[in-house]
Amino acid sequence: MATGGPAVPEGTGTLRLRSHTYAGNRYAVMGVINRTPDSFYDRGATYALEAALASADHAVAAGVDVIDVGGVKAGYGAPVDEDEEIRRTVPFVRELRERHPDVVISVDTWRARVGRACAEAGADMINDTWAGSDPDLARVAAEYGTGLVCSHSGGLAPRTDPHRVHYDDVVADVISGVCALAERAVSLGVRPDGVMIDPTHDFGKNTYQSLELTRRLGELAATGWPVLVAVSNKDFVGETLGVGLTDRGEGTLAALAVSAREGARVFRVHDVAAARVALDAVAAVGATQAG
């Protein structure tokens, strides 16, 4: 069993994004906006700029804390070069910053050039779901003072899927990997209270391993780094319950609640309203216990 992890800088544990502070039982809901024509879940519903902005407006009304925009499908699909990824993300970030000055804006990218362009347009956070594939991405976060998500992909290159993946202890491997990336980020100048770690369910992991990570998420939280989870409608939820893509809502909410009780702080979701209610209920239970 994994225990703890490398020491974290003093003050780590409290997460600060823009003017917001997340600590204790305050959970941050991150709403997904896919500016892609081929996303696995919404199949391009927010590919058009106006559709993406309308979805963001709806998420803000539903109580979202962070809006995470991505310009490239995570899995297999048509190649998307940096210029096209910038075209899909930067105008959205710029317009969203104007419309909702208080919301935290995140960009889901593994490319430093894209991260830089989005930070210049007003992004507050870089969600690197491919485990530092571009080593300069952390330097961009340091330069612009953005938050940074440090993830675990089991050594996979971007947009590849696991095949017969094996770990002696998946949780230990995740802790070692994400903590090393977090420490490197801070050493490069990323502010410690903006660094998050993400076990990155289903990336470089099979269903059993993603379930193991969820059950033992408290071990990641014990490292002191704020934990982000992205379990919404993931394949491990569907495979566990034997349901298709459109029937994973209840399983997603269960995984969110377990993750919150185990110490996760940020939750990347497709259904902001449902997640907000579920996480507020978990927070109320925690507040009652504390009282």
Side-chain angles (χ1 to χ4, degrees), residues 181-267:
L181 287 172
E183 290 182 316
R184 175 181 181 270
V186 171
S187 74
L188 292 173
V190 180
R191 53 189 178 82
D193 61 4
V195 174
M196 292 146 274
I197 58 174
D198 178 4
T200 328
H201 292 73
D202 283 3
F203 280 50
K205 302 162 191 77
N206 60 29
T207 289
Y208 173 83
Q209 291 155 351
S210 289
L211 289 171
E212 181 77 356
L213 279 166
T214 307
R215 183 176 68 83
R216 294 171 55 190
L217 202 67
E219 293 173 47
L220 272 81
T223 65
W225 298 104
V227 176
L228 179 150
V229 292
V231 298
S232 183
N233 296 299
K234 284 286 182 73
D235 286 344
F236 86 92
V237 174
E239 187 173 345
T240 298
L241 300 177
V243 297
L245 182 61
T246 59
D247 296 315
R248 299 176 184 177
E250 294 90 342
T252 291
L253 293 178
L256 290 176
V258 171
S259 298
R261 289 294 285 166
E262 287 295 313
R265 188 69 51 78
V266 185
F267 304 81

Side-chain angles (χ1 to χ4, degrees), residues 33 73 136 138 150-151 156 192 221 259 269 282 288:
I33 303 289
K73 179 183 178 182
D136 287 333
C150 299
S151 65
L156 293 180
S259 298
V269 300
V282 175
T288 300

Side-chain angles (χ1 to χ4, degrees), residues 50-64:
E50 288 305 316
L53 290 168
S55 181
D57 292 343
H58 181 75
V60 170
V64 81

Side-chain angles (χ1 to χ4, degrees), residues 79-155:
V80 180
D81 64 22
E82 291 184 354
D83 288 339
E84 175 61 14
E85 188 180 358
I86 288 170
R87 187 192 70 77
R88 294 177 180 184
T89 54
V90 167
F92 174 81
V93 170
R94 186 178 294 116
E95 179 64 24
L96 185 63
R97 182 81 290 147
E98 288 283 328
R99 291 163 79 121
H100 299 289
D102 197 43
V103 75
V104 177
I105 301 175
S106 168
V107 58
D108 181 349
T109 187
W110 74 87
R111 292 163 164 162
R113 181 169 165 241
V114 177
R116 179 181 301 278
C118 288
E120 290 176 350
D124 307 292
M125 178 176 157
I126 297 172
N127 182 14
D128 177 10
T129 55
W130 289 105
S133 173
D134 185 339
D136 287 333
L137 192 56
R139 293 186 174 91
V140 171
E143 180 181 351
Y144 287 89
T146 71
L148 179 68
V149 179
C150 299
S151 65
H152 177 278
S153 62

